[in-house]
Amino acid sequence: MTGVLSGRAQPGPLQADLLAGLRGILQAIRPDADLRLIRRAYDVAAAWHDGQTRFSGDPYITHPLAVAAILAGLGASDQALCAALLHDTTALTAYTFAELNREFGTEITGLVAGIAALDQITHQGSSTTAQAIAAATAADPRVLAIKIADRLHNMRTVEFLPPDKQLQKAAQARDVFVPAARLLRLGTVESELAALASTTLSRNRYARTASGHLLTAMAALLPPATQARWREEWLGELHTLPARRSRARFAAHTLLGVPRLAVTLRRPAPGHRQARP
Amino acid sequence: MKYAIKMTGPVQQVLRALLADPAAPRYGLEVSKLTGLETGTLYPVMARLEAVGWVDSSWEDPELGVREGRPRRRYYQLTRDGAEQARAALAEISRIRDKRRATLSAAQPGVLGAPL
């Protein structure tokens, strides 16, 4: 085997790219990183998440990998990187804390448990800044940093979620994780997260209106791979229309074109054929 | 004549509107306004034009929208190849129409002459 973060279980192309990216960041920022340990955490997480996918259709393991890459860029420790790679295993797979503890020790297990505890708090819908700061100070700052990186990657890929989930994630990002990132002085993460939250909130401003619901329902009739694009495009057009009636009219007219649009999108792309004169 | 896309009336209207300023990216409602086509007609046309490579679409930089307090827009633009083929196709169609008109008025000068 060449290099520790390469080779072995033949990860898919996306994972391979992400792994190479993580290795590159570590070489640049933390040349002393324990690549063997990090690779082992990846292998265990990848094995447990095997067969699971994200909303985007990507293999689930791409998410913890991306979170680890974000943290590596912030100079996170080996333990934090391993915890990032393993952070969803105990919640989403049959992997137990006891096994985690046996294979990776108490420090990494403690971090993963801390993330799970923080998830409990955020799932209860505590979305005020005060609560966030309280949770932040109570938690290990590394746990909070992993959770912030987790939300950052979720927000980068938020377009694949249904609109109501997008709104919920974005509001919480704005109210909880942006202030938390500021608290930890993660300036670049803070600004990216704030920008993503703001675009997502404005994009979905009309998602809960009657026209928004209608357009969202119609987009669901299109081929799955194309739904997110058309839904976003249509919900975005609602912002251009000043009056509720013009938005309703837009939704109704767009509805009439959906069957034809679905047929066009289902047809295999003919490629760029030349017009024959 | 065989084109990559069936040159229906709405397709021609969209192409004419885009060719008026081929370098300008347009969002869906903008093209709808320019052509007078309802969105139910327009979006399928745009999707077909995109499928054959005459038109490209992409999201604008979200930063622009943030400043104006709206989400990013999907913009459509003629590809270079698309602009060329669209121009050729539209020219050919009007040539045929002119010829047909001339033939008709020549054949029946008294009946269908001028007003066609």
Side-chain angles (χ1 to χ4, degrees), chain A:
Chain A
M1 286 303 124
T2 55
V4 180
L5 279 184
S6 59
R8 213 140 4 152
Q10 286 134 25
L14 185 55
Q15 290 96 299
D17 283 353
L18 284 166
L19 264 177
L22 175 57
R23 194 173 50 227
I25 295 167
L26 286 173
Q27 268 157 7
I29 293 188
R30 287 223 16 253
D32 61 324
D34 187 347
L35 297 187
R36 201 172 298 276
L37 176 67
I38 294 165
R39 176 65 199 224
R40 188 156 65 84
Y42 165 79
D43 282 335
V44 169
W48 281 102
H49 287 301
D50 189 34
Q52 297 179 332
T53 52
R54 305 200 78 217
F55 260 100
S56 61
D58 289 330
Y60 195 85
I61 188 63
T62 57
H63 166 64
L65 251 180
V67 174
I70 292 169
L71 288 163
L74 301 171
S77 67
D78 295 337
Q79 283 70 30
L81 293 174
C82 289
L85 288 166
L86 294 158
H87 79 273
D88 278 331
T89 51
T90 52
L92 300 182
T93 79
Y95 197 45
T96 65
F97 278 108
E99 289 169 299
L100 178 64
N101 194 25
R102 203 160 52 238
E103 292 176 31
F104 291 95
T106 50
E107 190 173 359
I108 291 171
T109 306
L111 290 172
V112 175
I115 298 161
L118 205 52
D119 279 340
Q120 289 293 315
I121 301 174
T122 50
H123 279 179
Q124 282 157 12
S126 88
S127 63
T128 68
T129 311
Q131 282 166 312
I133 306 290
T137 33
D140 183 331
R142 290 178 300 174
V143 169
L144 190 59
I146 295 168
K147 199 60 213 154
I148 292 167
D150 175 49
R151 182 55 58 99
L152 177 57
H153 183 246
N154 282 335
M155 287 304 296
R156 282 181 185 167
T157 51
V158 80
E159 66 201 85
F160 298 106
L161 295 179
D164 55 327
K165 277 260 171 64
Q166 290 192 23
L167 277 170
Q168 188 195 327
K169 294 266 178 209
Q172 206 177 43
R174 179 195 59 197
D175 298 336
V176 178
F177 293 100
V178 170
R182 191 178 312 134
L183 191 78
L184 296 187
R185 300 184 197 285
L186 305 175
T188 52
V189 172
E190 181 195 339
S191 54
E192 186 185 345
L193 206 46
L196 286 169
S198 146
T199 10
T200 306
L201 289 169
S202 80
R203 179 166 67 222
N204 290 293
R205 189 186 309 153
Y206 293 107
R208 288 182 182 176
T209 63
S211 303
H213 281 304
L214 184 55
L215 290 167
T216 301
M218 287 182 312
L221 302 175
L222 300 174
T226 66
Q227 289 174 8
R229 172 245 163 118
W230 290 100
R231 187 179 62 216
E232 182 175 352
E233 180 167 353
W234 291 337
L235 289 178
E237 302 275 41
L238 292 177
H239 289 252
T240 311
L241 300 165
R244 192 161 59 93
R245 197 187 303 173
S246 61
R247 292 195 293 271
R249 196 168 172 282
F250 167 76
H253 276 286
T254 304
L255 167 70
L256 296 176
V258 165
R260 229 167 340 145
L261 183 59
V263 169
T264 302
L265 296 174
R266 254 182 211 111
R267 214 177 300 161
H272 298 199
R273 272 187 289 157
Q274 296 293 314
R276 276 155 290 174

